[in-house]
Amino acid sequence: PPFRVLAFTDTAGARIEVTYRGATTVAKDAASPASLAGAPVRATIAPLAGGAPLWGGELGRLAVDADGIARLVARTPRLAPARWSPQSPALYRLVVTVGDRLADTARIGFRTVAAVDGRLYLNGRPLFLRGNAINPPERNLPDSLSESPRFARDYLGYLKGVGVNVVRFTKPSQAWMDAADELGMLVFQGHYGTPAGATATSPPKAPLEESEAWYRDRVLAPQANHPSVVLYALSNEQAAPEISYLSRGHAEVAAFLNEMHRRLSRWDDTRLYIGNAGYGFGRGGEVCDLHRYWGWYYNSFLSFYTLRDPRICWRTDAPQPITLTEAVGNYTGPDGRYNLASNTKQPESQLNWTGHAPDAEQGPRALAYQAWVAGQAIEITRRLRARNPYLAGILPFTIAFHQWHGITRFDDMRPKPVLAQYARSYQPVLLSWELWTPQVYAGTTIRPTVHVVNDAEDGRGLTGLSLRWSLRDAGSNVPYTGATTDFPDVPYFGTARRTLDLRLPATLRQGTYTLV
């Protein structure tokens, strides 16, 4: 369309930007920007579900700037809209007219996102991101489904049902962002790769104004009207390696991303920015981002305990929220076995974790280990908020469904065991056991620690708690012993723990038991 209408919203109104760049091939729109100078711009905002308009009125008049673009940037008066949130994704319809012609319409939502004292806040409430990083569109889906609104709703609705509250897409797809808006799924989006004209070790050679315009018009503007999009990434890996903060040229790349962040956040300050996601520690934004594949490419799941140190991401004068927008790995294929493409680094990892096990065992072992590492990564990260209050989210980068190619509907994708693990480890109110002596003699005393993490969807604290535990035969589920004890209150976004002294009955037979 000849007009572009963008709405940058908060919980008290919107800043609306209307631009007209010139004639199009459609005769009725073949007007010059100069001919629209002084044309009145009016807007109405009404609930998408119907009902009385929230507001309507004149925003001002178009003016032609030095670049020959007819433009208006104006703010609505103070409004009292229903807030968009994952729990209540309230949407509105914005209709803008210029003179006697319809300029454009957009679906919008009103919400705020901020980084304050090292924490993420949505609508003024602390937020922990419980995510999934490998998602459609594309990624070998059939063309008929890749941009299907129904498929997008089915897929995101399933993920929300297993506790996921944020996803990352490969590109700013309107169908997928519309579905996220409707369902209340948060989105981490932006540019998935090196900036246009850049390499892994050098920033673009074009003038900064050109890079700013590319980011603004090509990358970010298609996402600006979607309240679900709360995080922008300015760079990440794609064909080129990620831009490491230790690599050659890192200082120049960091300076470029810092400047882009400064310019772009003046234009859109309704999202948070990650400048260099992953191995660049997020440089060039408000969020410190890590990519850590402990337990897959290197080290073990125990390395997630290094997140207990707040200084792991301390690189500014003030603390920043810490996110792990990639973790876990363990890339299993349709049959459950690890993917072993010859041009990748997967074979070495496969040998580490499933070795030379028979083919019949490779799939079950790989799927079990994929789920187990995801559970450890998620629960350790959430538990460690008691030690490191800046931990703000984790998005496992792992293949969570069996089938992508050749499917005809979402049900054909078939979830892997890792998604059942999500359902346990992503529970908003999480009870997580920590026990370092899982192989013991009957009659001994074990000392497991019970952690409770309160990310309740309604934002309420937990009071008057009691902990009921039992030891059960893993096969028959027959309880052998148990007890009830009191447990500390847990405020919203808080954690609490209690270490128990559990005397095992001396009469227990050899076998496997479950602590419930």
Side-chain angles (χ1 to χ4, degrees), residues 406-424:
I407 64 174
T408 60
R409 55 179 183 165
F410 168 71
D411 289 345
D412 296 338
M413 294 191 76
R414 294 186 295 120
K416 293 178 179 177
V418 67
L419 286 167
Q421 186 65 54
Y422 278 8
R424 292 189 291 273

Side-chain angles (χ1 to χ4, degrees), residues 431-495:
L431 186 150
S432 180
W433 288 105
E434 184 177 23
L435 176 62
W436 291 102
T437 54
Q439 299 183 36
V440 295
Y441 289 105
T444 60
T445 297
I446 60 173
R447 293 178 174 83
T449 297
V450 181
H451 300 262
V452 172
V453 182
N454 182 13
D455 293 329
E457 299 286 353
D458 60 8
R460 296 183 182 181
L462 305 175
T463 59
L465 303 180
S466 61
L467 174 71
R468 297 187 300 276
W469 64 269
S470 63
L471 186 71
R472 303 181 182 185
D473 183 280
S476 65
N477 204 32
V478 172
Y480 283 89
T481 186
T484 299
T485 184
D486 62 346
F487 197 85
D489 292 347
V490 190
Y492 173 71
F493 210 70
T495 65

